[in-house]
Amino acid sequence: MKPNIHLPLTIILLTFLLLSGCGQTQNNPGNQTDWALALHGGAGTISPDMPDSLKQQYYDGLRQALRVGEIILREGGSALDAVEAVVRNLEDNPLFNAGHGSVFTSEGKHELDAAIMDGSTLAAGALTGLTTVKNPVSLARIVMEESPHIFFSGSGAEEFASQTGVERVDNDYFHTDSRYIQWRRTQPDNAFQYHEEWLEGDKFGTVGAVALDAGGRLAAATSTGGMTNKRFGRVGDVPIIGSGTFANHLVAISATGWGEQIMRNVSANTIANYMEFRNTSVDDAMNYVLTERLNPGDAGFVAVDRKGNISMQMNTLGMYRGSINSRGEHVVMIWETE
Ligand code: ASP
């Protein structure tokens, strides 16, 4: 009888494939060791003529925030810890419109919004109209973990803050001269920072982070001062779960841009649903929302899916953004191409 030389070869091949993790592309970790992180510091009309020194400050700020998240994820920390720490870092950086550096309301004050979401449980915490909480994202996490609710607003949000140990500041703490000048420019006609103005000026803001941790959990967090000259009690997309912030078992998303447009299109959740229902990549889903749902100049998003694929896209001129993963790939960018 002719010996079956194929059988031993097949066994060797199968053993090799099993040991080498067959079917797992580099984009599909699935081995509980991969992690990925993306962040943004706002999208809008960002002039490429920006002075080099300022450009450098933005790159440094983005890199510093990435580093904060990288350390947590590299050491096996959770996606939630990473996005909270990254957003806190960006809130403390006066360059960005969140925390210290928030824009001015029509009354010349600061009202801050933030949200955080745990994709593995769909737990979420959100706040709007904060006036004295130094790091809104951390209070959002406390809402998520220590209250039976998801969303607090205005005086109730401040009252909730008083029952926790979060650091409080005077509203003046959020003041920066550059945001003050920006607000004063809107005063003659008391214009809300609406869409057309974005196309002319350097008005942009919001910070956000999304992460996948080594345990396969996804999380998203976003924080903002909102939009310059916003009216009393205006709520933007950021704290509306599913609009500016969303995470589930498939993907984590954080948005920036014109809040009213982002809300109308329930944008972050639409990206997640498009992925799920059409079985498409995060890139395709984000592109769909940016091109088919939103108008040019409206918004930008950062997202990471459960396989560690990162997508960062905008239909504005620029978006401060950066990403890093466990394979050592990292990028920090502002414009479409650099
Ligand atoms: N989306 C934010 C808001 O409407 C603003 C921004 O991202 O620039 O409050």
Side-chain angles (χ1 to χ4, degrees), residues 97 198 204-206 224 226-227 234 236-238 256-260 262:
N97 171 21
W198 279 37
F204 38 79
T206 294
T224 189
M227 295 178 77
R234 180 260 188 187
D237 60 295
V238 167
T256 172
W258 189 12
E260 279 67 12
I262 296 169

